[in-house]
Amino acid sequence: MTEQMSIDSAPPVVGEPSPGPHYDFEDAQSGDLGALAAIADAMKSDNLTDRLESLKRLSVLALAMGEERTREELIPFLDESIDDEDELLLALAELLGDFTQYVGGPKYAYVLLRPLENLAAAEETVVREKAVESINKLVAVMDQLHVEEYLIPCIARLSTGEWFTSRSSAAGLYAAAYGKVTDAIQSKLRAGYEALCKDETPMIRRAAATNLTDLVEKIEKDHVVAFAVPNFRHLSEDDQDSVRLLTVKPLVAITKRLTTEECKQYLGESVHHMCVDKSWRVRYMVAEQFVALATNIKDAELQEELLNVAISLMHDSEAEVRGAICTQLDGLADLANTEAIIGRLQAPLQELVDDPSQHVRSTLAKHIGSLCRVFGREGTIEHLLPLLLRLLKDSFPDVRLNIISKLDVVDNVVGIESLSQSLLPAIVELAEDKQWRVRLAIIEYVPLIASQLGVQFFDEQLTTLCMSWLGDPVYSIREAATVNLKKLTEVFGVEWARTTIIPKILVMTTHPNYLYRMTTIFAITTIAPSVTPEIVRDMILPALEGLVNDPIPNIRFNVAKCLQPLTEALRKSSETASLESSVIRPALARLEEDPDPDVRYFAHRSLSAISNAA
C-alpha cells in the first residue's frame, strides 16, 4: 500500500488561486493512505499552518515509508525543500534531532546531518541554536567511524563558511566531536577552534568564547595550558566588551582543571584585569561568578587579593555590579578567617544598606542572612541585627519582603529570644504594612515565631494581630490568615484553640459587615479538621446554624459548602456522628429550597458528597 504513496503526490494547482485544501490528519496514525498522502501534500502547501502540522506528523509518514525510503527519499526531500519561514525551520531543526529511530537507528544517524548542517547556517539565531543542539544529540549516538567520516567534514565546512552564521554554529559542535575522534583529528579540531577565536567577526568570537567552557572540560590537561589558556587570554583582551564578558565562565572552567600554582602562574594577571575591566558588563559577570572563581583558585595570597576586589566591587559605580556581588556574600565569607571577614565587610555592608538603588538593597536583603553562620551569635547580634533592622524599615517593599523571608536563617544562629527582642517590634509594624505582599510574608512567618516564643508570649503580643488579619481588605490576606490559625492550632494544641482562637472567630458571625461573616466560615472550614469533633459540636456547629438564614446569598452558599467538611469531622466520633442526620442534612435540605440558584446548587452538591462518602 505504501508503494503507491509518494512525497511528490500533491496534485497540481489549476485555475484561480484558492485558500488551499483542507488537510485532515486525524487518521494518519492508523496508516490510512489518504491521511498519509495528506501529510506529504501539506508539506508543499502554501499555508504555513499546514506545513507546520505536516512536520508534527512527519514521524507517522516515516513509519509508513519505512527506514530505507525515509533515508533515501524523505530526508533528501526535507533537505532540498528547506523553507524560509523561521517558525518552520525551528520546528524542523528540533524534529531532526529526535529522528534517529526513523532512519534505522544510530548507525544511520549521519543521514540527518546534511539537512541539519543547512539549518545550522540559517539566518535566524534560534534556528541555528536548535540545529546545533540536534547535531550534538546525533553525535552522542554516533560511533567514532561515522563521526570522523561525516561530522568532521561538516564541522570543517561550517567553520570555513563564507557567512558568519555557519561559523558561529560550528563553534558549538567542537566539544561534542572532540571525545570521539583520534588524536590527529583532535589536533585539527583545536586548530580549527583557535581560528574561530581569532575570527575577524565579533559574533564568531562571541560564539567561540561561549562554547570554550564545554571544550575545556573535554580536552586533556596538557592542552588546557597549551591551547585553552592562550585562547582565553586572547578573547579576554578583545576590544569588544560583548566578547570579554563571555570569557568569565571559560575562566572558571579553566581554573577547575589547573593546580593552584598553575592558576597563579597563567591566570593571575588576566583575573586582575577582568575584575577592573572598564566595561561594567564584564565586571558584572565577574561579580556573578566571583565565588566559583575564587574557590577554584585556592591560593591564599590570590584569594586575599580577590577579597579586596570583591570589596571594591561593592563600591562599584554601577548598581548592577553591586547587586551581583551581593549574591556572593555567603561564599565570600569563606575566603578569609572570621575576624578578617567581619572587619573587612562591616563598612561596605553599612554603605549597601543605604544604597540609592532599590535593586541593590533588595538583593542585599535576600543574601545578608547567609553571613550569620560566619559572624556567629555574638557577631550577628552586634553587627548584623542593626543592619537587618534598617532593612526591615526600608521604604521599598521588596527589601522588607526579602528580609522577612530569610529570618529563619537568622533565627537558627541567634535564637528567637534575641530575634524577638530586636526585630519583633519591626515585624509587628510590618504586619500592618500598606503593601499586602509584605503583610502576607509576615503571616506566613508567624507560626515559626509562635513555635519559638511559646503560648504566653504569643497571646500577649500577637493574638490580636492574627485576628485583625481576618478583617483585612485583601482576600489573599484573609485566606492566609485562616491557614495561619490552623497552623497555630497545630503548634499550640486544640485546647488553646478552644479557649483563645475559636471564641474570637465565632464573635465575627454576628458582625454587620458580611465579609467578616464570610471569613468566619472560611476560618471554621479550615480549622475544623484540626480540632476535636466535640468542639465542632459544641462551638462551631451552633454558630454556623445561625448563618443558614443569613440575608446575603454568598454567606448561605458558603455555609452549604462548609457543612461538608464539618460532617467529615463529626464522623470521627460515635458521639457526634448522629448530628449528620439531626442537624447537617436538615440544614442542607432547607438550603436546597433557597430562592437563590447558587445556594441551591452548593447545598445539593454538599448533600451528594456527604451521601457518597457515607
Side-chain angles (χ1 to χ4, degrees), residues 332-343:
L332 282 178
D334 297 323
L335 295 183
N337 61 62
T338 303
E339 290 183 9
I341 285 293
I342 293 175

mmCIF file with all atom_site columns, all heavy atoms in Angstrom, residues 332-343:
data_model
loop_
_atom_site.group_PDB
_atom_site.id
_atom_site.type_symbol
_atom_site.label_atom_id
_atom_site.label_alt_id
_atom_site.label_comp_id
_atom_site.label_asym_id
_atom_site.label_entity_id
_atom_site.label_seq_id
_atom_site.pdbx_PDB_ins_code
_atom_site.Cartn_x
_atom_site.Cartn_y
_atom_site.Cartn_z
_atom_site.occupancy
_atom_site.B_iso_or_equiv
_atom_site.pdbx_formal_charge
_atom_site.auth_seq_id
_atom_site.auth_comp_id
_atom_site.auth_asym_id
_atom_site.auth_atom_id
_atom_site.pdbx_PDB_model_num
ATOM 1  N N   . LEU A 1 332 ? 31.803 34.550 49.850 1.00 0.00 ? 332 LEU A N   1
ATOM 2  C CA  . LEU A 1 332 ? 32.876 35.495 50.195 1.00 0.00 ? 332 LEU A CA  1
ATOM 3  C C   . LEU A 1 332 ? 33.348 35.291 51.629 1.00 0.00 ? 332 LEU A C   1
ATOM 4  O O   . LEU A 1 332 ? 34.526 35.457 51.943 1.00 0.00 ? 332 LEU A O   1
ATOM 5  C CB  . LEU A 1 332 ? 32.375 36.936 50.052 1.00 0.00 ? 332 LEU A CB  1
ATOM 6  C CG  . LEU A 1 332 ? 32.287 37.524 48.639 1.00 0.00 ? 332 LEU A CG  1
ATOM 7  C CD1 . LEU A 1 332 ? 31.723 38.928 48.705 1.00 0.00 ? 332 LEU A CD1 1
ATOM 8  C CD2 . LEU A 1 332 ? 33.649 37.527 47.978 1.00 0.00 ? 332 LEU A CD2 1
ATOM 9  N N   . ALA A 1 333 ? 32.429 34.931 52.494 1.00 0.00 ? 333 ALA A N   1
ATOM 10 C CA  . ALA A 1 333 ? 32.754 34.773 53.913 1.00 0.00 ? 333 ALA A CA  1
ATOM 11 C C   . ALA A 1 333 ? 33.759 33.655 54.161 1.00 0.00 ? 333 ALA A C   1
ATOM 12 O O   . ALA A 1 333 ? 34.378 33.594 55.217 1.00 0.00 ? 333 ALA A O   1
ATOM 13 C CB  . ALA A 1 333 ? 31.472 34.498 54.704 1.00 0.00 ? 333 ALA A CB  1
ATOM 14 N N   . ASP A 1 334 ? 33.931 32.763 53.179 1.00 0.00 ? 334 ASP A N   1
ATOM 15 C CA  . ASP A 1 334 ? 34.863 31.642 53.342 1.00 0.00 ? 334 ASP A CA  1
ATOM 16 C C   . ASP A 1 334 ? 36.257 31.948 52.808 1.00 0.00 ? 334 ASP A C   1
ATOM 17 O O   . ASP A 1 334 ? 37.140 31.091 52.834 1.00 0.00 ? 334 ASP A O   1
ATOM 18 C CB  . ASP A 1 334 ? 34.310 30.393 52.644 1.00 0.00 ? 334 ASP A CB  1
ATOM 19 C CG  . ASP A 1 334 ? 33.001 29.920 53.266 1.00 0.00 ? 334 ASP A CG  1
ATOM 20 O OD1 . ASP A 1 334 ? 32.888 30.016 54.503 1.00 0.00 ? 334 ASP A OD1 1
ATOM 21 O OD2 . ASP A 1 334 ? 32.109 29.480 52.525 1.00 0.00 ? 334 ASP A OD2 1
ATOM 22 N N   . LEU A 1 335 ? 36.457 33.148 52.290 1.00 0.00 ? 335 LEU A N   1
ATOM 23 C CA  . LEU A 1 335 ? 37.747 33.480 51.684 1.00 0.00 ? 335 LEU A CA  1
ATOM 24 C C   . LEU A 1 335 ? 38.796 33.926 52.704 1.00 0.00 ? 335 LEU A C   1
ATOM 25 O O   . LEU A 1 335 ? 39.961 34.076 52.362 1.00 0.00 ? 335 LEU A O   1
ATOM 26 C CB  . LEU A 1 335 ? 37.573 34.588 50.631 1.00 0.00 ? 335 LEU A CB  1
ATOM 27 C CG  . LEU A 1 335 ? 36.737 34.214 49.396 1.00 0.00 ? 335 LEU A CG  1
ATOM 28 C CD1 . LEU A 1 335 ? 36.703 35.376 48.417 1.00 0.00 ? 335 LEU A CD1 1
ATOM 29 C CD2 . LEU A 1 335 ? 37.297 32.968 48.707 1.00 0.00 ? 335 LEU A CD2 1
ATOM 30 N N   . ALA A 1 336 ? 38.368 34.163 53.947 1.00 0.00 ? 336 ALA A N   1
ATOM 31 C CA  . ALA A 1 336 ? 39.313 34.585 54.983 1.00 0.00 ? 336 ALA A CA  1
ATOM 32 C C   . ALA A 1 336 ? 38.778 34.147 56.338 1.00 0.00 ? 336 ALA A C   1
ATOM 33 O O   . ALA A 1 336 ? 37.658 33.642 56.442 1.00 0.00 ? 336 ALA A O   1
ATOM 34 C CB  . ALA A 1 336 ? 39.502 36.108 54.944 1.00 0.00 ? 336 ALA A CB  1
ATOM 35 N N   . ASN A 1 337 ? 39.556 34.331 57.388 1.00 0.00 ? 337 ASN A N   1
ATOM 36 C CA  . ASN A 1 337 ? 39.090 33.926 58.712 1.00 0.00 ? 337 ASN A CA  1
ATOM 37 C C   . ASN A 1 337 ? 37.992 34.874 59.196 1.00 0.00 ? 337 ASN A C   1
ATOM 38 O O   . ASN A 1 337 ? 37.816 35.968 58.672 1.00 0.00 ? 337 ASN A O   1
ATOM 39 C CB  . ASN A 1 337 ? 40.246 33.885 59.716 1.00 0.00 ? 337 ASN A CB  1
ATOM 40 C CG  . ASN A 1 337 ? 40.903 35.250 59.893 1.00 0.00 ? 337 ASN A CG  1
ATOM 41 O OD1 . ASN A 1 337 ? 40.265 36.204 60.324 1.00 0.00 ? 337 ASN A OD1 1
ATOM 42 N ND2 . ASN A 1 337 ? 42.183 35.344 59.549 1.00 0.00 ? 337 ASN A ND2 1
ATOM 43 N N   . THR A 1 338 ? 37.258 34.426 60.214 1.00 0.00 ? 338 THR A N   1
ATOM 44 C CA  . THR A 1 338 ? 36.062 35.142 60.671 1.00 0.00 ? 338 THR A CA  1
ATOM 45 C C   . THR A 1 338 ? 36.359 36.585 61.065 1.00 0.00 ? 338 THR A C   1
ATOM 46 O O   . THR A 1 338 ? 35.646 37.514 60.667 1.00 0.00 ? 338 THR A O   1
ATOM 47 C CB  . THR A 1 338 ? 35.435 34.405 61.870 1.00 0.00 ? 338 THR A CB  1
ATOM 48 O OG1 . THR A 1 338 ? 35.143 33.062 61.460 1.00 0.00 ? 338 THR A OG1 1
ATOM 49 C CG2 . THR A 1 338 ? 34.161 35.085 62.318 1.00 0.00 ? 338 THR A CG2 1
ATOM 50 N N   . GLU A 1 339 ? 37.408 36.802 61.849 1.00 0.00 ? 339 GLU A N   1
ATOM 51 C CA  . GLU A 1 339 ? 37.722 38.159 62.307 1.00 0.00 ? 339 GLU A CA  1
ATOM 52 C C   . GLU A 1 339 ? 38.008 39.083 61.135 1.00 0.00 ? 339 GLU A C   1
ATOM 53 O O   . GLU A 1 339 ? 37.557 40.234 61.109 1.00 0.00 ? 339 GLU A O   1
ATOM 54 C CB  . GLU A 1 339 ? 38.923 38.127 63.250 1.00 0.00 ? 339 GLU A CB  1
ATOM 55 C CG  . GLU A 1 339 ? 38.617 37.490 64.607 1.00 0.00 ? 339 GLU A CG  1
ATOM 56 C CD  . GLU A 1 339 ? 39.824 37.552 65.545 1.00 0.00 ? 339 GLU A CD  1
ATOM 57 O OE1 . GLU A 1 339 ? 40.808 38.236 65.194 1.00 0.00 ? 339 GLU A OE1 1
ATOM 58 O OE2 . GLU A 1 339 ? 39.766 36.932 66.613 1.00 0.00 ? 339 GLU A OE2 1
ATOM 59 N N   . ALA A 1 340 ? 38.760 38.567 60.164 1.00 0.00 ? 340 ALA A N   1
ATOM 60 C CA  . ALA A 1 340 ? 39.098 39.387 58.995 1.00 0.00 ? 340 ALA A CA  1
ATOM 61 C C   . ALA A 1 340 ? 37.846 39.729 58.195 1.00 0.00 ? 340 ALA A C   1
ATOM 62 O O   . ALA A 1 340 ? 37.677 40.877 57.750 1.00 0.00 ? 340 ALA A O   1
ATOM 63 C CB  . ALA A 1 340 ? 40.113 38.660 58.120 1.00 0.00 ? 340 ALA A CB  1
ATOM 64 N N   . ILE A 1 341 ? 36.963 38.737 58.041 1.00 0.00 ? 341 ILE A N   1
ATOM 65 C CA  . ILE A 1 341 ? 35.739 38.964 57.270 1.00 0.00 ? 341 ILE A CA  1
ATOM 66 C C   . ILE A 1 341 ? 34.861 40.010 57.955 1.00 0.00 ? 341 ILE A C   1
ATOM 67 O O   . ILE A 1 341 ? 34.356 40.942 57.322 1.00 0.00 ? 341 ILE A O   1
ATOM 68 C CB  . ILE A 1 341 ? 34.957 37.636 57.100 1.00 0.00 ? 341 ILE A CB  1
ATOM 69 C CG1 . ILE A 1 341 ? 35.645 36.752 56.058 1.00 0.00 ? 341 ILE A CG1 1
ATOM 70 C CG2 . ILE A 1 341 ? 33.514 37.892 56.703 1.00 0.00 ? 341 ILE A CG2 1
ATOM 71 C CD1 . ILE A 1 341 ? 35.594 37.292 54.641 1.00 0.00 ? 341 ILE A CD1 1
ATOM 72 N N   . ILE A 1 342 ? 34.676 39.860 59.271 1.00 0.00 ? 342 ILE A N   1
ATOM 73 C CA  . ILE A 1 342 ? 33.846 40.817 59.999 1.00 0.00 ? 342 ILE A CA  1
ATOM 74 C C   . ILE A 1 342 ? 34.417 42.225 59.875 1.00 0.00 ? 342 ILE A C   1
ATOM 75 O O   . ILE A 1 342 ? 33.698 43.196 59.612 1.00 0.00 ? 342 ILE A O   1
ATOM 76 C CB  . ILE A 1 342 ? 33.718 40.406 61.481 1.00 0.00 ? 342 ILE A CB  1
ATOM 77 C CG1 . ILE A 1 342 ? 32.924 39.094 61.596 1.00 0.00 ? 342 ILE A CG1 1
ATOM 78 C CG2 . ILE A 1 342 ? 33.044 41.507 62.291 1.00 0.00 ? 342 ILE A CG2 1
ATOM 79 C CD1 . ILE A 1 342 ? 32.837 38.541 63.007 1.00 0.00 ? 342 ILE A CD1 1
ATOM 80 N N   . GLY A 1 343 ? 35.730 42.321 60.035 1.00 0.00 ? 343 GLY A N   1
ATOM 81 C CA  . GLY A 1 343 ? 36.375 43.629 59.953 1.00 0.00 ? 343 GLY A CA  1
ATOM 82 C C   . GLY A 1 343 ? 36.295 44.238 58.568 1.00 0.00 ? 343 GLY A C   1
ATOM 83 O O   . GLY A 1 343 ? 36.065 45.444 58.427 1.00 0.00 ? 343 GLY A O   1
#
